[in-house]
C-alpha cells in the first residue's frame, strides 16, 4: 500500500492492520483485553484526528506510537473497574510455550513500561534505537539506557538467571 | 548468566510466539468523543512528535496584555510581550502532608473522584464489583458523609470520564463498556430526592432516541446539553437539551462537529466544518462570563477549567517565525488581566495540536498534564513556580481532576495494580510554592 498520497478509510485500515496492531499491543501490555482496548483507542485517535479518511504518510507507525503512549496513559489512569492482582491476568497455557519463553514472559511482566516498550520495539518490531527514540519521546541514549536496564532486570529474574550456553561450557 | 545474544534471541522468540496467540482484532466500533480530561488522541499526537519540547519558552508573567481575543486555531502571527522565564520549583514536604491529611473518606481506596460541586460535595465512583456486577457511584459531602448509588450494570462497565458534573441538585456522569466506547449511558442522579438515578440517554438499547453516538455533554442548572450523531461514521452532530425536571428532550441545533463550551454559567457552541476550520460561535446561554475570559475558550482542542471562581485555559498561537506556541492562562475575578501561566513551544510535527492540557485549576494553582512520561506539573500563579508532581513509587502518579467550593479532588494512583486513594484538601491548606 502506498501511503504517500493515498487516502484510506479507517475501516479499510482497521481491516488491513487491526490484527498486527492488536498483536503489537498484546506483547506491549501483556493483556489481551487491554490490547484490544488500546487498538480501539487508536482507531478513535485516528478518527478524531483525521476523520473518516487517513491522509497520512505512515499510519501504521502513527498507530504504533498511539498504542505505546495510550498504554502508558492507561497505566497512569487506571480504570476503577480493574481488579488489583499480583500478576498479569494472562496465564500461559501449560506446555504451550517452551519453559524459557514462559519465564521470559513472566520476567517481561515485571519490567517498567518504558523498558518493556523498548524491548518490544527492538525485538518484535525490529526498529533501531534511532527509530524508537521519537516513539518514546526520548533520546537514543535514553533508549539504550532503558534497554540496558531492562537486560539487567531480566538477568536478575530468578528463572532467567541461569542456563546460559556460556555457563555450560 | 545469559549473554546479550541469548537474551535477544529469547526475546524475539517470546514476542513472536505470544503475538501469534492473538488471532483476532477488535471490530471497529463507532468512535465516541474522548474524555474531556483524558484525551487519548492528544497524547498520541504528542508522542508522534517525539515529545513536547519542554525547554523552549516556559514562562510565567503577570499582567499580560490580552486585548485581542484568542482564536480556536493558531492565529496568523502574534506578537506578545516578552514573558519572564518560569522558575523551577519542587513541591515541599508540606504539600504532600497537606494533601494526605485530607483523605476523602477513611478506607476509601479505589474511589475515583469525578467532579466537585460549588459547595465542595464530591461525585466519585468506585466502579464495578466483579462478583456482584454492581457499579457504585458515591456522593461525598464535605463532612465526609458517603451516599452510595448502586447500579446493576455488569462488570465490563467503567466510568466515562468525558464531562462528569455535579451541582447542588444534580450529578451527571456517563458509563460505558470498557471495550466498546460507544456503548454509553448518560446518567443523572437527583441529589435532593433520594439520590434517584435515571438514564438521560442509553446507547446500549436498540433504537435509542436522541442520538446513536454520544459526543459530549454539559450540566447547566437543571438542564443537560449533549451532542450526538445519528450514524457512524458521521461528523454531523445534533445538540440536544434534556430538562432534568421534566424529562423533556429538545433538539437545539445540528451541524458539523458541534463543540460545546461552558464557563461561568454560559453555554456556547461552534461548528467545525472540517477538522481545521471553525464556524461562528453561537451563544445558547449567555451566563455571566467575564470579559476577561476570552471567547478563546471555545476551541475544542483545548480545555477551560474552573473551580467555580478561578478559570484556566490554554490556546495556541503562531509566532512570527512560524512556530506554534501553546500558552496557558489563569484568571480570577477581580484581577486586572489573565496571568500567563505557562508557555511552551510545540514540536513542529504536532502542527496545530496542543502539547499539554490544562487539567484543573484550584485557587492560584494550575495543574497541567504535559502528555509525556514526566508526570503532571503544578503551577503557582502567584510565585511563577513550576513544580513537577511526581510520586515516590515507580508507575504511581498524582492527578488533580476537579475543584470546587474551595476544595480540590486529588487522586493518587498507586504503583502497578496498587490501590488508588482520593484526597480532597482545602485549597487554602496547600502551601505556596517557591522557586529554588
Amino acid at each position: 500500500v502506498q501511503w504517500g498520497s493515498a487516502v484510506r478509510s479507517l475501516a479499510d485500515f482497521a481491516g488491513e492492520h487491526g490484527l498486527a496492531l492488536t498483536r503489537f499491543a498484546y506483547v506491549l501490555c501483556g493483556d489481551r483485553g487491554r490490547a484490544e482496548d488500546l487498538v480501539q483507542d487508536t482507531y478513535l485517535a485516528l478518527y478524531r484526528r483525521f476523520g473518516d479518511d487517513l491522509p497520512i504518510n505512515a499510519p501504521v507507525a502513527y498507530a504504533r506510537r498511539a498504542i505505546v503512549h495510550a498504554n502508558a496513559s492507561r497505566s497512569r489512569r487506571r480504570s476503577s473497574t480493574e481488579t488489583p492482582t499480583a500478576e498479569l491476568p494472562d496465564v500461559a497455557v501449560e506446555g504451550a510455550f517452551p519453559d524459557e519463553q514462559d519465564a521470559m514472559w513472566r520476567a517481561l511482566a515485571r519490567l517498567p513500561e518504558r523498558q518493556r516498550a523498548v524491548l518490544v520495539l527492538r525485538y518484535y518490531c525490529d526498529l533501531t534505537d534511532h527509530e524508537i527514540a521519537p516513539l518514546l519521546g526520548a533520546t537514543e541514549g535514553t533508549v539504550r539506557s532503558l534497554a540496558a536496564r531492562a537486560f539487567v532486570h531480566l538477568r536478575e529474574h530468578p528463572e532467567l538467571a541461569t542456563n546460559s550456553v556460556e555457563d555450560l561450557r | 548468566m545469559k549473554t546479550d545474544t541469548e537474551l535477544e534471541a529469547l526475546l524475539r522468540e517470546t514476542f513472536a510466539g505470544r503475538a501469534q496467540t492473538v488471532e483476532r482484532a477488535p471490530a471497529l466500533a463507532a468512535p465516541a468523543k474522548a474524555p474531556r480530561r483524558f484525551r487519548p488522541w492528544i497524547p498520541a499526537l504528542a508522542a508522534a512528535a517525539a515529545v513536547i519540547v519542554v525547554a523552549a519558552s516556559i514562562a510565567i508573567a503577570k499582567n499580560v496584555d490580552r486585548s485581542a481575543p484568542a482564536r480556536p486555531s493558531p492565529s496568523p502571527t502574534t506578537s506578545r510581550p516578552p514573558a519572564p522565564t518560569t522558575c523551577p520549583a519542587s513541591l515541599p514536604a508540606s504539600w504532600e502532608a497537606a494533601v494526605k491529611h485530607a483523605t476523602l473518606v477513611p478506607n476509601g481506596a479505589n474511589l475515583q473522584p469525578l467532579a466537585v460541586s460549588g459547595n465542595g460535595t464530591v461525585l466519585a465512583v468506585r466502579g464495578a464489583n466483579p462478583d456482584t456486577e454492581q457499579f457504585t457511584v458515591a456522593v461525598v459531602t464535605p463532612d465526609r458523609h458517603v451516599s452510595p448509588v448502586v447500579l446493576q450494570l455488569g462488570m465490563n462497565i467503567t466510568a466515562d470520564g468525558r464531562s462528569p458534573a455535579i451541582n447542588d441538585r444534580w450529578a451527571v456522569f456517563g458509563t460505558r463498556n470498557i471495550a466498546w466506547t460507544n456503548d454509553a449511558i448518560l446518567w443523572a442522579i437527583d441529589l435532593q430526592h433520594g439520590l434517584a438515578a435515571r438514564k438521560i440517554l442509553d446507547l446500549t438499547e436498540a433504537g435509542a432516541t436522541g442520538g446513536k453516538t454520544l459526543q459530549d455533554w454539559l450540566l447547566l442548572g437543571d438542564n443537560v446539553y449533549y451532542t450526538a450523531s445519528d450514524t457512524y461514521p458521521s461528523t454531523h452532530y445534533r445538540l440536544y437539551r434534556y430538562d432534568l425536571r421534566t424529562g423533556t428532550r429538545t433538539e437545539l441545533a445540528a451541524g458539523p462537529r458541534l463543540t460545546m463550551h461552558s464557563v461561568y454559567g454560559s453555554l456556547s457552541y461552534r461548528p467545525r466544518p472540517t477538522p481545521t476550520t471553525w464556524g461562528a460561535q453561537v451563544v445558547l446561554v449567555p451566563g455571566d462570563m467575564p470579559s476577561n475570559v476570552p471567547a478563546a475558550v471555545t476551541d475544542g482542542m483545548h480545555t477551560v477549567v474552573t473551580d467555580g471562581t478561578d478559570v484556566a485555559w490554554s490556546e495556541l498561537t503562531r509566532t512570527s517565525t512560524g512556530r506554534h506556541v501553546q500558552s496557558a492562562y489563569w484568571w480570577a475575578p477581580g484581577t486586572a488581566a489573565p496571568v500567563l501561566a505557562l508557555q511552551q513551544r510545540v514540536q513542529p510535527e504536532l502542527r496545530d495540536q496542543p502539547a499539554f492540557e490544562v487539567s484543573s485549576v484550584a485557587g492560584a494553582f494550575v495543574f497541567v498534564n504535559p502528555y509525556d512520561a514526566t508526570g503532571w506539573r503544578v503551577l503557582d500563579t502567584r510565585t511563577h513556580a513550576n513544580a513537577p508532581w511526581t510520586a515516590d513509587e515507580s508507575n504511581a502518579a498524582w492527578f488533580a481532576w476537579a475543584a470546587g467550593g474551595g476544595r480540590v479532588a486529588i487522586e493518587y494512583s498507586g504503583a502497578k495494580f496498587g490501590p488508588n486513594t482520593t484526597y480532597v484538601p482545602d485549597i487554602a491548606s496547600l502551601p505556596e510554592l517557591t522557586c529554588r
Side-chain angles (χ1 to χ4, degrees):
Chain A
V1 177
Q2 285 294 323
W3 291 102
S5 59
V7 174
R8 304 286 296 199
S9 73
L10 181 55
D12 286 346
F13 177 81
E16 288 180 27
H17 301 289
L19 180 58
L21 289 173
T22 309
R23 288 174 170 171
F24 169 68
Y26 174 56
V27 296
L28 187 71
C29 73
D31 179 79
R32 288 168 208 280
R34 182 163 164 172
E36 294 194 6
D37 285 356
L38 291 170
V39 173
Q40 199 59 251
D41 283 354
T42 300
Y43 292 158
L44 175 66
L46 287 164
Y47 177 76
R48 295 197 66 219
R49 177 63 183 86
F50 299 103
D52 303 326
D53 299 324
L54 304 176
I56 53 177
N57 291 330
V60 174
Y62 181 97
R64 277 184 185 158
R65 283 194 291 267
I67 288 170
V68 168
H69 285 264
N71 184 45
S73 296
R74 274 176 173 263
S75 297
R76 301 178 68 187
R77 183 63 176 142
R78 187 164 57 86
S79 164
S80 59
T81 61
E82 288 181 30
T83 307
T85 57
E87 300 289 338
L88 284 178
D90 265 7
V91 178
V93 177
E94 194 69 31
F97 296 98
D99 288 346
E100 269 203 328
Q101 289 187 25
D102 277 344
M104 175 59 85
W105 190 245
R106 285 190 288 273
L108 286 166
R110 295 186 174 280
L111 287 184
E113 270 154 22
R114 279 163 70 84
Q115 292 181 20
R116 178 168 172 146
V118 166
L119 297 184
V120 169
L121 293 165
R122 260 191 183 183
Y123 302 112
Y124 180 66
C125 301
D126 285 325
L127 300 183
T128 64
D129 291 351
H130 181 71
E131 293 168 319
I132 294 170
L135 284 175
L136 296 181
T139 63
E140 285 186 55
T142 301
V143 172
R144 286 192 290 274
S145 170
L146 287 167
R149 276 183 276 160
F151 271 46
V152 169
H153 281 137
L154 291 177
R155 287 197 176 95
E156 288 173 349
H157 193 274
E159 294 178 85
L160 295 175
T162 57
N163 295 332
S164 165
V165 173
E166 303 265 329
D167 296 337
L168 300 176
R169 285 176 185 164
Chain B
M1 181 177 291
K2 290 191 180 304
T3 65
D4 281 2
T5 305
E6 288 171 335
L7 278 176
E8 287 173 356
L10 184 53
L11 281 165
R12 290 184 196 281
E13 292 164 2
T14 303
F15 286 140
R18 294 288 166 161
Q20 289 302 315
T21 65
V22 177
E23 296 174 344
R24 69 181 179 90
L28 180 62
K33 187 177 177 182
R36 175 174 300 275
R37 58 191 184 184
F38 171 69
R39 298 175 183 229
W41 58 280
I42 297 180
L45 286 167
V51 180
I52 306 142
V53 174
V54 177
S57 41
I58 292 178
I60 281 183
K62 285 188 173 179
N63 301 321
V64 175
D65 177 11
R66 304 197 66 256
S67 57
R71 303 182 182 186
S73 57
S75 54
T77 300
T78 307
S79 61
R80 288 181 176 281
T85 305
T86 68
C87 46
S90 302
L91 291 178
S94 56
W95 174 277
E96 190 163 318
V99 169
K100 290 190 171 178
H101 182 68
T103 314
L104 176 62
V105 284
N107 304 316
N110 287 329
L111 263 182
Q112 174 187 340
L114 296 179
V116 186
S117 77
N119 66 13
T121 297
V122 177
L123 172 66
V125 62
R126 191 184 295 278
N129 181 319
D131 297 325
T132 64
E133 300 198 348
Q134 290 176 334
F135 187 90
T136 304
V137 178
V139 177
V140 187
T141 56
D143 61 3
R144 297 187 177 187
H145 178 75
V146 182
S147 301
V149 179
V150 178
L151 308 167
Q152 197 72 39
L153 294 178
M155 65 177 290
N156 290 325
I157 302 301
T158 187
D160 188 322
R162 275 177 267 194
S163 302
I166 183 170
N167 59 25
D168 293 344
R169 171 72 190 272
W170 307 101
V172 174
F173 64 97
T175 57
R176 65 174 175 84
N177 186 291
I178 289 172
W180 313 111
T181 56
N182 202 43
D183 276 357
I185 303 175
L186 184 55
W187 297 88
I189 296 176
D190 189 338
L191 301 177
Q192 294 181 6
H193 290 89
L195 299 178
R198 81 170 81 158
K199 296 176 183 176
I200 298 172
L201 182 64
D202 185 350
L203 297 180
T204 66
E205 290 180 345
T209 55
K212 303 292 188 295
T213 303
L214 185 61
Q215 303 296 336
D216 196 10
W217 67 83
L218 290 168
L219 170 65
L220 203 60
D222 292 317
N223 293 304
V224 174
Y225 296 82
Y226 71 88
T227 50
S229 54
D230 291 335
T231 59
Y232 165 77
S234 173
T235 57
H236 186 80
Y237 297 175
R238 296 180 189 280
L239 194 159
Y240 296 91
R241 180 181 62 221
Y242 181 89
D243 189 324
L244 290 162
R245 293 165 302 183
T246 65
T248 308
R249 191 187 320 269
T250 309
E251 183 180 327
L252 301 175
R257 301 181 183 88
L258 301 181
T259 304
M260 297 185 295
H261 294 277
S262 176
V263 64
Y264 281 117
S266 70
L267 180 74
S268 60
Y269 71 87
R270 36 191 331 161
R272 192 159 50 123
T274 73
T276 55
T277 59
W278 293 77
Q281 181 182 4
V282 179
V283 177
L284 273 180
V285 182
D288 55 355
M289 190 191 309
S291 58
N292 268 324
V293 178
V297 290
T298 53
D299 182 348
M301 295 189 297
H302 295 264
T303 48
V304 52
V305 291
T306 180
D307 60 4
T309 304
D310 312 280
V311 185
W313 67 91
S314 78
E315 64 177 71
L316 273 173
T317 52
R318 199 165 70 196
T319 66
S320 57
T321 58
R323 288 175 172 166
H324 288 138
V325 172
Q326 188 179 358
S327 305
Y329 292 93
W330 170 90
W331 185 81
T335 56
V339 170
L340 175 60
L342 177 71
Q343 196 169 72
Q344 185 166 300
R345 195 174 71 192
V346 179
Q347 189 83 340
E349 293 93 315
L350 280 175
R351 296 186 292 181
D352 57 351
Q353 302 302 314
F356 63 83
E357 181 183 57
V358 176
S359 293
S360 55
V361 60
F365 299 107
V366 177
F367 299 93
V368 169
N369 177 7
Y371 292 135
D372 62 13
T374 62
W376 283 25
R377 302 193 78 84
V378 184
L379 311 173
D380 190 326
T381 53
R382 297 163 298 190
T383 61
H384 310 168
N386 180 344
W389 199 10
T390 54
D392 294 335
E393 300 174 276
S394 174
N395 289 323
W398 291 94
F399 306 95
W401 292 123
R407 309 171 83 203
V408 54
I410 291 171
E411 180 183 357
Y412 179 79
S413 181
K416 203 168 189 178
F417 300 124
N420 65 334
T421 309
T422 297
Y423 305 94
V424 191
D426 291 336
I427 296 170
S429 72
L430 299 174
E432 183 173 284
L433 304 184
T434 54
C435 299
R436 292 177 192 138

